[in-house]
Amino acid sequence: MSILRRRRLPQPAASAPPIEGNTASPVATAVEENDEKEKKAKGRKEAKRRWSCMDNCCWLIGCICAAWWLLLFLYNAMPPSFPQYVTEAITGPMSDPPGVKLRKEGLRARHPVVFVPGIVTGGLELWEGHHCADGLFRKRLWGGTFGEVYKRPLCWVEHMSLDNESGLDPPGIRIRPVTGLVAADYFAPGYFVWAVLIANLARIGYEEKTMYMAAYDWRLSFQNTEVRDQTLSRIKSNIELLVATNGGNKVVVIPHSMGVLYFLHFMKWVEAPTPMGGGGGKDWCAKHIKAVMNIGGPFLGVPKAVSGLFSAEAKDVAVARAIAPGVLDSDFLGLQTLRYVMHMTRTWDSTMSMIPKGGDTIWGGLDWSPEEDYDCISKKPKSNGFHFYHDKDVENVTSQPHYINYGRIISFGKDVADMPSSMIERIDFRDAVKGSNLAHSNTSCQDVWTEYHEFGVEAAKAVPDYKAYTASSVLDLLHFVAPKMMQRGSAHFSYGIAENLDDLKYNHYKYWSNPLETKLPHAPDMEIYSMYGVGIPTERAYVYKLSPFAECNIPFQIDSSAEGGSGQSCLQGGVYSVNGDETVPVLSAGYMCAKGWRGKTRFNPSGIKTYIREYDHAPPANLLEGRGTQSGAHVDIMGNFALIEDIIRVASGATGEDLGGDQVYSDIFKWSERINLHL
């Protein structure tokens, strides 16, 4: 009985002091310990239940912020030479930058330098906009951080687009180019364009009073930059000022990409009488320009411009569409991606300056092209040293080269791209009837303006029936699918070959940016350089297919499933590649200086000396080199040490002969000889 009574006694509190003379039995002690363990376990479970996803997020954010501040502290605390020390410890001693090297040789600033940026690389800022752009006065809408693209994409597209009728500002919107060297030194933070070249010129004594960035609104047609902003007049005045304030030394002009065509237009404009021209007279260029050093110049256009205007695509976009089918074509978060891109870029008249020029005579026909024997079989990659190879150097190759019909810029189907022209049955698309609206059931499509809304199903089906398009028929194709756009473009640009350059019609500005329809200025002492990268696969022709019909649809797209296989490595993802700088094929960048302007020709009546300087591409040896110092890529070449050294030497007074004349790694001279053009 006593045992039963002891079990029924109430258990003392855990914190209560033990009662003297009352010792608990081992059984009671075990019960107490079990109760205490259960309470602790229950407490831990409740604590776990209280730990939510919000706690996880807060801890994650806290860790990221702590790591960020730690790295920022270490970055600011380390000596400036530490990154270079680490790089040299891994790769060995670094060579001096060109500016330092040439300063040690005694070179100093002599001729003023003028930079002419290309398409998309120059900054644009807002001066007037609609309500959705409040707070963005004089903020960059292009270049810089691109923050407004993410915050208000539709507003950004609206303001970056030009008027469909005039090719100028839409009502209530004014976007203007950023001025000064900051306009195009960096495209985005950390992504240089002209910055490396500017820094190296500064090392031999150049400063802002001896350098001028000829910034312009690269969206406009070349003549419209003068109509709206008087940009050509400003370039003329600034060059005259540079010459007058630098002891009469002529300027060295350095255009890049589309800036090459823009400055070609300027040289004709400045000579032409007012009001169409600048009234400088026939000897203005001879008095003011020492040399024009063109970097990555698309003198004869680029096939990439065709695919961009036709379907808002290039190789990278086609790959993205293959990886994620339908994403770029869908109405994602209210943003119809490709259609908005097409809407915007089709209002930029400057893009039409880069449509291939010269027709089939230059780019080839259905059965031939100048580069038809180009061998795309993979070669051993060139190391980041000074080993050079030519297109004809192929290692360990036993298969016969596959000849490609590069002249067929667009082929509907891989079989069409390969078969002999005699076997291709073509139906003329020009007779197709338009008007059966592809987007008739969705009025919201009209908010994203593309001319495909007025195209029609029957017209879309007729385009593939023509099978293959060469450089000449591509123009007809673009007039067919986008007549309003091409009507504006045809008023400002021309794509033919002049039969008689003395014909008065060539005094019109629409011909001035086409080197095949205009004469170089009378300046026999001036020099022209064509400087570009080689050794990188570059878009040359495309395999297309008809897209599934849908509301608001772009009815054509690159067939990314078209692959060449081991025998046709030039064809990858529906794109045929050839030698170039990843954007401009060698043929376009080099032909004029290799043959069209070489010596006294009808395009170069005063015999201006021309030089080709090719830079064989070598990728960076490691991540510490960034974009590399021997890159031949279209923009990265602006940091190529060999190119910068050539520019500095000429700016310091050297001539093309002092540089060693031509420097060629491609087959540009052989390809140029295959072009049957009267010179």
Side-chain angles (χ1 to χ4, degrees):
M1 293 294 293
S2 63
I3 294 177
L4 292 174
R5 282 196 296 270
R6 281 197 293 272
R7 288 181 177 175
R8 292 176 182 175
L9 285 175
Q11 300 295 329
S15 60
I19 302 173
E20 292 185 12
N22 186 20
T23 303
S25 69
V27 177
T29 303
V31 171
E32 291 176 3
E33 290 177 354
N34 289 335
D35 290 344
E36 187 174 349
K37 289 180 180 179
E38 289 177 0
K39 288 179 181 179
K40 289 181 179 180
K42 186 176 181 182
R44 284 195 297 267
K45 289 180 180 178
E46 290 178 355
K48 288 182 179 179
R49 283 196 295 268
R50 289 195 300 269
W51 188 264
S52 63
C53 292
M54 183 62 68
D55 298 303
N56 290 328
C57 292
C58 290
W59 270 102
L60 179 61
I61 293 172
C63 291
I64 292 174
C65 291
W68 169 257
W69 285 110
L70 177 62
L71 292 173
L72 188 63
F73 170 77
L74 293 175
Y75 176 77
N76 287 283
M78 74 173 63
S81 60
F82 186 73
Q84 182 178 348
Y85 171 79
V86 174
T87 302
E88 291 184 354
I90 296 174
T91 64
M94 297 178 64
S95 59
D96 287 335
V100 174
K101 172 186 173 183
L102 298 180
R103 183 178 180 85
K104 291 177 180 178
E105 293 183 13
L107 272 64
R108 295 294 183 271
R110 180 176 177 184
H111 293 276
V113 172
V114 177
F115 309 113
V116 186
I119 192 170
V120 313
T121 55
L124 300 175
E125 60 187 18
L126 182 71
W127 281 80
E128 180 185 3
H130 294 161
H131 179 71
C132 67
D134 288 348
L136 298 180
F137 177 67
R138 293 203 64 197
K139 298 289 179 61
R140 288 199 183 196
L141 291 190
W142 189 270
T145 62
F146 285 90
E148 298 310 316
V149 179
Y150 310 110
K151 295 178 182 177
R152 31 190 146 182
L154 297 184
C155 181
W156 179 81
V157 169
E158 177 186 4
H159 284 73
M160 283 298 298
S161 301
L162 295 171
D163 185 81
N164 291 323
E165 301 297 331
S166 66
L168 297 169
D169 293 322
I173 294 176
R174 280 188 297 150
I175 291 181
R176 297 295 180 263
V178 178
T179 57
L181 296 179
V182 297
D185 55 352
Y186 288 92
F187 177 62
Y191 190 87
F192 69 82
V193 183
W194 295 93
V196 177
L197 177 56
I198 292 171
N200 279 280
L201 285 166
R203 290 184 173 107
I204 67 164
Y206 280 90
E207 49 189 301
E208 196 148 10
K209 67 181 181 181
T210 51
M211 293 188 287
Y212 167 59
M213 182 71 72
Y216 60 99
D217 190 337
W218 43 262
R219 302 172 302 160
L220 302 175
S221 69
F222 302 157
Q223 192 69 8
N224 273 345
T225 63
E226 174 67 14
V227 171
R228 195 193 73 179
D229 301 333
Q230 294 75 54
T231 303
L232 298 173
S233 294
R234 293 172 187 272
I235 295 174
K236 175 176 180 284
S237 298
N238 277 284
I239 289 177
E240 291 171 345
L241 179 63
L242 286 171
V243 173
T245 57
N246 285 276
N249 287 319
K250 302 176 186 179
V251 300
V252 172
V253 184
I254 311 171
H256 173 246
S257 189
M258 192 186 75
V260 169
L261 302 179
Y262 187 66
F263 195 76
L264 189 63
H265 179 98
F266 169 83
M267 288 194 293
K268 293 300 294 183
W269 173 88
V270 75
E271 292 181 337
T274 58
M276 186 180 294
K282 295 295 183 183
D283 59 349
W284 190 93
C285 291
K287 290 180 178 178
H288 295 90
I289 302 175
K290 175 191 186 298
V292 183
M293 307 189 76
N294 302 290
I295 304 175
F299 287 105
L300 303 178
V302 289
K304 183 181 285 189
V306 175
S307 63
L309 294 171
F310 184 51
S311 62
E313 288 180 295
K315 182 177 181 179
D316 295 339
V317 175
V319 170
R321 294 178 82 176
I323 295 173
V327 173
L328 293 178
D329 304 288
S330 62
D331 190 351
F332 180 66
L333 298 178
L335 182 63
Q336 298 157 339
T337 311
L338 279 184
R339 288 173 288 283
Y340 274 108
V341 169
M342 176 171 283
H343 160 76
M344 182 171 64
T345 56
R346 279 192 173 183
T347 67
W348 297 347
D349 288 352
S350 62
T351 59
M352 286 177 275
S353 70
M354 293 185 288
I355 294 174
K357 303 174 179 67
D360 296 0
T361 301
I362 298 293
W363 295 92
L366 291 176
D367 292 315
W368 81 281
S369 65
E371 316 102 314
E372 60 188 2
D373 60 348
Y374 177 68
D375 197 339
C376 294
I377 298 176
S378 299
K379 307 173 183 67
K380 183 179 180 180
K382 183 170 77 74
S383 63
N384 202 352
F386 292 96
H387 169 69
F388 301 113
Y389 57 78
H390 296 256
D391 290 340
K392 62 185 178 181
D393 297 333
V394 182
E395 300 183 5
N396 301 322
V397 176
T398 57
S399 61
Q400 294 296 320
H402 178 85
Y403 293 99
I404 298 172
N405 298 318
Y406 283 120
R408 305 176 191 183
I409 294 180
I410 289 179
S411 301
F412 276 89
K414 182 178 179 296
D415 55 336
V416 173
D418 291 334
M419 69 175 58
S421 61
S422 59
M423 298 177 61
I424 301 176
E425 297 181 5
R426 307 165 79 190
I427 302 175
D428 198 336
F429 60 92
R430 301 173 186 84
D431 299 328
V433 178
K434 298 182 182 180
S436 178
N437 199 329
L438 288 171
H440 63 278
S441 62
N442 189 346
T443 57
S444 68
C445 293
Q446 304 306 321
D447 296 335
V448 192
W449 179 88
T450 69
E451 294 191 62
Y452 282 128
H453 296 143
E454 305 163 8
F455 197 51
V457 174
E458 295 304 319
K461 291 180 178 179
V463 170
D465 288 340
Y466 196 69
K467 306 296 185 182
Y469 295 83
T470 63
S472 296
S473 52
V474 154
L475 288 174
D476 296 330
L477 174 63
L478 292 176
H479 276 284
F480 183 68
V481 302
K484 293 180 182 178
M485 177 192 74
M486 291 300 291
Q487 183 179 4
R488 289 196 325 271
S490 297
H492 291 274
F493 304 107
S494 181
Y495 311 101
I497 301 174
E499 295 182 1
N500 178 14
L501 285 167
D502 294 324
D503 192 323
L504 294 180
K505 76 174 186 178
Y506 293 111
N507 293 331
H508 193 274
Y509 60 76
K510 68 181 288 184
Y511 301 102
W512 291 347
S513 62
N514 182 355
L516 300 174
E517 294 184 300
T518 190
K519 297 178 183 178
L520 288 176
H522 182 77
D525 295 331
M526 190 172 80
E527 295 180 329
I528 294 181
Y529 296 78
S530 188
M531 314 170 77
Y532 54 90
V534 296
I536 306 178
T538 303
E539 296 175 41
R540 177 65 169 83
Y542 304 88
V543 176
Y544 265 85
K545 66 179 180 180
L546 192 64
S547 296
F549 291 113
E551 296 172 342
C552 306
N553 192 43
I554 297 175
F556 313 106
Q557 70 179 85
I558 295 173
D559 186 0
S560 57
S561 66
E563 297 287 346
S566 59
Q568 299 182 37
S569 58
C570 284
L571 175 60
Q572 294 183 356
V575 179
Y576 283 103
S577 298
V578 76
N579 197 359
D581 69 358
E582 202 171 32
T583 296
V584 183
V586 164
L587 185 69
S588 179
Y591 173 77
M592 293 309 298
C593 281
K595 185 178 179 183
W597 289 332
R598 183 64 55 120
K600 284 190 177 184
T601 69
R602 63 192 184 105
F603 303 113
N604 181 17
S606 66
I608 296 173
K609 290 184 178 180
T610 62
Y611 300 95
I612 289 181
R613 302 290 292 178
E614 293 184 347
Y615 304 89
D616 205 7
H617 174 70
N622 54 67
L623 293 176
L624 296 175
E625 286 193 13
R627 289 153 65 191
T629 60
Q630 296 182 47
S631 175
H634 188 63
V635 177
D636 294 354
I637 196 174
M638 304 289 278
N640 185 299
F641 278 12
L643 177 139
I644 293 172
E645 183 173 330
D646 286 348
I647 291 174
I648 292 177
R649 290 188 183 279
V650 173
S652 301
T655 65
E657 294 298 326
D658 295 329
L659 297 184
D662 297 321
Q663 175 180 276
V664 178
Y665 303 105
S666 73
D667 288 328
I668 181 58
F669 286 112
K670 181 174 71 173
W671 294 344
S672 297
E673 288 303 317
R674 291 175 179 166
I675 295 175
N676 186 19
L677 178 62
H678 168 60
L679 300 176

